Amino acid sequence: VIEHHTVSNDGGAIYGDVEASDIQANNIRHCKAGRQGGAVYGVKFSRISAQYCQAERGGAVAHCDDSEVFARHNTASLHGGGAYKCESLICTGHWRNNRAVGGDGQHIYSLGCDHGHGHDNAHHEGYLWHAVYLDHPLTCSHGHWRNDHI
């Protein structure tokens, strides 16, 4: 169990660099990052479970590529209540009550959102996600669903 860790930059509980992979952190709670990844930042090929974490971007995780993530009750003050800019993300369990207070992506915010891609562009940086249970409809602040921030 990792609880009540706070950092001013990235990765409230775990900060990964280029080599960080195959991390298993199944019980991260009440952690906070000043920038990105309230629970975890920058790991790949990992399994993360985060609840009640906070960050500016990615309340639970940020830049956690090719990973399985369970996220509940996490908050981002800007984008991605659950996840922010995670490539090939697998959402495990029932994601619910993740919030993006000041931006898009209550659950997920992707890289494709802020690089000037139009809504009609079918290719959003090659990002893939698998999610079975999200607690509310997929919506977008632009009025229609868009797969790069849900």
Side-chain angles (χ1 to χ4, degrees), residues 109-124:
Y109 186 93
S110 170
L111 187 59
C113 296
D114 57 0
H115 286 285
H117 297 301
H119 287 294
D120 297 328
N121 186 347
H123 178 70
H124 290 285

Side-chain angles (χ1 to χ4, degrees), residues 5 8-9 29 57 68 72-73 76-77 101 103 108 117 121 131-132 135 139 141-142 144 148:
H5 284 239
S8 59
N9 281 320
R29 294 186 211 145
R57 293 175 172 91
E68 295 180 25
R72 272 192 191 164
H73 309 290
S77 59
V101 177
I108 301 169
H117 297 301
N121 186 347
V132 178
D135 69 349
T139 59
S141 65
H142 302 291
H144 59 278
D148 58 356

Side-chain angles (χ1 to χ4, degrees), residues 1 3 5 10 21 35 48 50 52 75 89 95 99 118 122 136:
V1 177
E3 291 184 306
H5 284 239
D10 301 324
S21 66
R35 294 181 23 148
I48 309 296
Y52 302 101
T75 303
L89 176 70
W95 282 38
R99 299 182 312 129
H136 58 271

